[in-house]
């Protein structure tokens, strides 16, 4: 299959054009901004409220990388295998269906997406890690990957352990073009997403914060404004669950080192029930 070389270069240099021309989608403004930034930044962090289109953006960038780089390798992971399947991996299938070009060039399978012509050396792979694993085997989830064109996409990165990042960082040391993209809700006051956004590591990252606050003119248009207003009315603007899920902001550090979404949700439900009795 021959694709016009000039088009490939345009799509590589500006993935927002690729998304419009190949995937026939219109990125939201924040997605547009990140798509344009992608080729020129090694490390991208998307810190967001619920539902603005993070996994979709990861899928678009992965397709862009697979189409426009030679012999690329991409590893994708998420907080759980189920989450990866339901999120990023199904977005990969959805957008492939939209493009006769991608359908002709690539095979989509449950754990692997690869070039028909070079199945062994041109691919994206779904990686899983076990929550009970020790740091060494966690690092193994992404270990051993080396290629001139390499990318790591870590979705739902809020709760990802630091060990996962070490091997990704390793691969960046020996490539021509390498990227790490992490995306998630700011649920934890530790881990890769927190460090990228809230510590002095931030200068290494292109950080995009996405809110659904009804009062923010730059809010994600994809999250229902009605839903956002209801959450704020019910729980208040200072509520940690609202901070994380509506505003895409880290809860205050006073709330004890670690705040899993589950714990916050449990606390909120409890308060809500008590309030209604
Ligand atoms: N710019 C867009 N155009 C069309 N559909 C989109 C766009 N961005 C996201 N979507 C769709 O919106 C839904 C939610 O997006 P998703 O990426 O799953 O959000 P998140 O990962 O932030 O929770 C998905 O069905 C996705 O395909
Ligand atoms: Mg998602």
């Amino acid at each position: 299959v021959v694709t016009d070389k000039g088009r490939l270069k345009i799509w590589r240099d500006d993935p927002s054009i690729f998304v419009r021309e190949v995937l026939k989608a219109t990125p939201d403004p924040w997605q547009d901004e990140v798509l344009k930034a992608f080729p020129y930044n090694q490390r991208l962090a998307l810190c967001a409220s619920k539902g603005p289109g993070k996994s979709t953006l990861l899928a678009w960038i992965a397709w862009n990388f697979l189409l426009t780089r030679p012999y690329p390798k991409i590893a994708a992971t998420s907080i759980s295998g189920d989450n990866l399947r339901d999120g990023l991996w199904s977005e990969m299938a959805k957008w492939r269906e939209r493009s006769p070009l991608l359908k002709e060039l690539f095979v989509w399978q449950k754990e692997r997406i690869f070039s028909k012509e070079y199945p062994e050396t041109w691919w994206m792979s779904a990686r899983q890690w076990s929550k009970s694993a020790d740091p060494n085997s966690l690092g193994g989830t992404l270990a051993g990957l080396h290629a001139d064109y390499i990318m790591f996409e870590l979705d739902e990165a809020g709760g990802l352990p630091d060990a996962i990042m070490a091997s990704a960082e390793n691969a960046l040391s020996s490539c021509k073009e390498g990227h790490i993209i992490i995306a998630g809700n700011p649920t934890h006051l530790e881990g890769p997403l927190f460090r990228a956004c809230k510590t002095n590591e931030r200068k290494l990252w292109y950080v995009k914060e996405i809110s659904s606050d009804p009062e923010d003119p730059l809010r994600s248009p994809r999250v229902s404004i009605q839903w956002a207003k209801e959450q704020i009315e019910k729980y208040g603007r200072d509520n940690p669950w609202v901070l994380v899920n509506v505003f895409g902001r880290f809860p205050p550090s006073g709330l004890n080192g670690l705040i899993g979404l589950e714990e916050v949700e449990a606390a909120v439900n409890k308060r809500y029930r008590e309030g209604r009795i």
Side-chain angles (χ1 to χ4, degrees):
V1 181
V2 183
T3 316
D4 174 2
K5 283 253 161 59
R7 247 22 252 157
L8 280 181
K9 176 162 168 34
I10 288 168
W11 296 336
R12 192 186 64 208
D13 293 349
D14 186 345
S16 78
I17 299 174
F18 159 83
V19 169
R20 286 175 171 82
E21 292 185 354
V22 178
L23 305 177
K24 312 279 188 262
T26 308
D28 295 336
W30 77 267
Q31 291 172 325
D32 238 351
E33 183 194 315
V34 176
L35 286 166
K36 285 175 191 296
F38 165 71
Y40 312 101
N41 289 276
Q42 273 205 315
R43 297 181 187 79
L44 260 58
L46 316 176
C47 177
S49 63
K50 261 189 197 298
K54 301 180 293 296
S55 302
T56 304
L57 182 64
L58 293 183
W60 291 346
I61 289 175
W63 276 125
N64 178 263
F65 203 71
L66 284 170
L67 183 66
T68 64
R69 271 68 166 183
Y71 307 97
K73 290 185 170 60
I74 306 175
T77 191
S78 181
I79 194 71
S80 72
D82 281 348
N83 185 284
L84 185 63
R85 254 194 310 284
D86 299 345
L88 175 55
W89 215 255
S90 72
E91 289 295 323
M92 289 301 289
K94 169 174 168 176
W95 297 102
R96 177 180 170 277
E97 286 299 317
R98 301 277 186 100
S99 162
L101 177 65
L102 295 181
K103 277 167 81 166
E104 194 176 341
L105 292 174
F106 294 95
V107 177
W108 182 99
Q109 288 179 353
K110 273 191 279 183
E111 314 233 301
R112 209 171 173 81
I113 293 164
F114 51 89
S115 142
K116 286 183 189 168
E117 214 172 338
Y118 307 102
E120 319 267 292
T121 47
W122 194 310
W123 47 254
M124 174 169 183
S125 120
R127 302 282 168 124
Q128 290 195 38
W129 54 278
S130 149
K131 274 192 178 176
S132 54
D134 64 81
N136 286 335
S137 45
L138 280 177
T141 307
L142 300 181
L145 275 188
H146 290 282
D148 282 348
Y149 296 89
I150 193 156
M151 178 155 72
F152 298 88
E153 291 196 333
L154 317 183
D155 202 6
E156 298 295 339
L160 282 185
D162 286 321
I164 286 247
M165 286 292 284
S167 8
E169 283 289 342
N170 238 340
L172 287 193
S173 66
S174 58
C175 62
K176 287 194 179 132
E177 183 185 352
H179 300 269
I180 301 176
I181 313 183
I182 56 180
N185 306 123
T187 46
H188 289 64
L189 297 169
E190 60 175 12
L193 191 63
F194 180 78
R195 285 192 291 113
C197 299
K198 290 287 173 194
T199 70
N200 58 7
E201 267 185 46
R202 183 167 169 134
K203 56 182 179 296
L204 296 174
W205 292 82
Y206 183 99
V207 177
K208 185 67 197 164
E209 286 154 333
I210 307 113
S211 171
S212 301
D213 185 351
E215 290 175 20
D216 183 345
L218 298 175
R219 75 184 297 278
S220 161
R222 210 150 285 283
V223 177
S224 151
I225 201 159
Q226 182 64 29
W227 174 85
K229 283 182 175 159
E230 283 169 10
Q231 306 311 306
I232 294 167
E233 258 167 42
K234 264 197 244 171
Y235 307 123
R237 292 182 67 90
D238 296 334
N239 175 280
W241 193 89
V242 170
L243 281 176
V244 171
N245 293 291
V246 183
F247 301 155
R249 283 178 29 212
F250 285 94
S253 53
L255 284 175
N256 272 334
L258 175 89
I259 303 176
L261 186 55
E262 307 80 33
E263 287 111 80
V264 174
E265 264 166 353
V268 169
N269 286 338
K270 187 157 167 272
R271 214 176 85 187
Y272 185 46
R273 273 202 307 277
E274 280 165 1
R276 295 182 64 176
I277 288 166

